[in-house]
Amino acid sequence: MKKQVCAALWTMLCGVGCGGVVHAQQQNFDAVEVHSLKVRDDIYMLVGAGGNITMQIGDDGILLVDTQYAPLSQKILAEIRKISDKPIHYIINTHHHGDHTGGNVNLRAAGTTVTGGNVAGTIADSAVGALIIAHENVLNHLTAATGAQALPSSGWPTNTYFGEKKEMFYNGEGIEILHMPAAHTDGDSAVFFRRSDVISAGDVFVTTSYPVIDLANGGSYVGIVNALDRLVDIIIPVYGQDGGTLVIPGHGRLSNLGDVLNFREMVIVIRDRFREMIDKGMTLEQVKAAKATLDYDPVYGSTTGFWTTDRFIEAAYKSLSETPKDAQ
Ligand SMILES: [Zn+2]
Ligand SMILES: [Zn+2]
């Protein structure tokens, strides 16, 4: 799971300078299986490769949050059709990375298609597609993307919002699309299903690694902290029993308040340690040598794959060095 975290981001950050990096589009997805987990009556979590997909179903139709990679679309659609044969009316993108938007073109085109068991061949036939909703910076990044990062324009958001949030009502429940400024990227949204009491967090919250901060696309350490604070504000737990608000992370397992609190605590403890070392004038190399993340490394760290501990430390050091202390 960890090695799949934002593989598209890896290619983007590396550009052409990192020879040998396998682009997401070149990965072999043949062995990937797509599974669904029922989260609440009308909410499912779809896991394959790339970011988790959240699916809301109801009498009106289907709403998806994120779409994973394009080569998985048929498998995703097949899994969706095991659960509902309603049309897909909406896709919400939590941010622009390819492991969350790669399937936009295919699943949008499958939008109004209502099939029985026969999925193959129906994707390309559909004339009218789902609406794709995202923060306006998602569209800005997708329109500017080139090469392996480029997504065909039919996969770009059709409805963008700016400001704090966008609200909609679908399948009998209010849905809040909440902008998390300058966090994982500058276009992050978390999607709060109010009646179901489920939050689809996007990559501001993951259980598989340290927080991924895409500095090149407007992410920041302080924005991650703010986003986690906002999630904690929304979550209402039920102590001593299953229930309360459930959180679907960008990557990793279905979570609750305790999981988000643990992650936030780690993020804040490391922030304070780094802040202290930066205040002392320590260089990046000195901070690395100090092994300030050591106690958390067994849970969140990695020496291989896309988001290694070293890369996290580099991003955290840079972001915290550049952010005025009173803004943290
Ligand atoms: Zn991701
Ligand atoms: Zn991402």
Side-chain angles (χ1 to χ4, degrees), residues 215-251:
L215 296 177
N217 285 291
S220 75
Y221 202 108
V222 65
I224 293 277
V225 175
N226 292 340
L228 294 168
D229 284 347
R230 196 142 169 227
L231 292 182
V232 169
D233 276 349
I234 296 168
I235 298 168
I236 299 175
V238 179
Y239 289 108
Q241 55 179 291
D242 288 335
T245 312
L246 292 173
V247 182
I248 297 173
H251 298 261

Side-chain angles (χ1 to χ4, degrees), residues 136-199:
E136 64 179 357
N137 286 340
V138 173
L139 180 61
N140 293 340
H141 289 304
L142 290 176
T143 53
T146 56
Q149 291 309 312
L151 188 69
S153 58
S154 59
W156 295 353
T158 56
N159 292 50
T160 60
Y161 76 100
F162 60 95
E164 281 188 18
K165 68 174 172 179
K166 177 183 175 71
E167 296 175 344
M168 57 188 287
F169 197 86
Y170 186 61
N171 284 326
E173 81 172 313
I175 300 167
E176 295 181 342
I177 305 168
L178 305 167
H179 180 47
M180 303 291 182
H184 173 63
T185 67
D186 60 9
D188 297 310
S189 297
V191 184
F192 179 32
F193 298 90
R194 287 169 49 137
R195 181 172 52 74
S196 299
D197 204 8
V198 174
I199 303 172

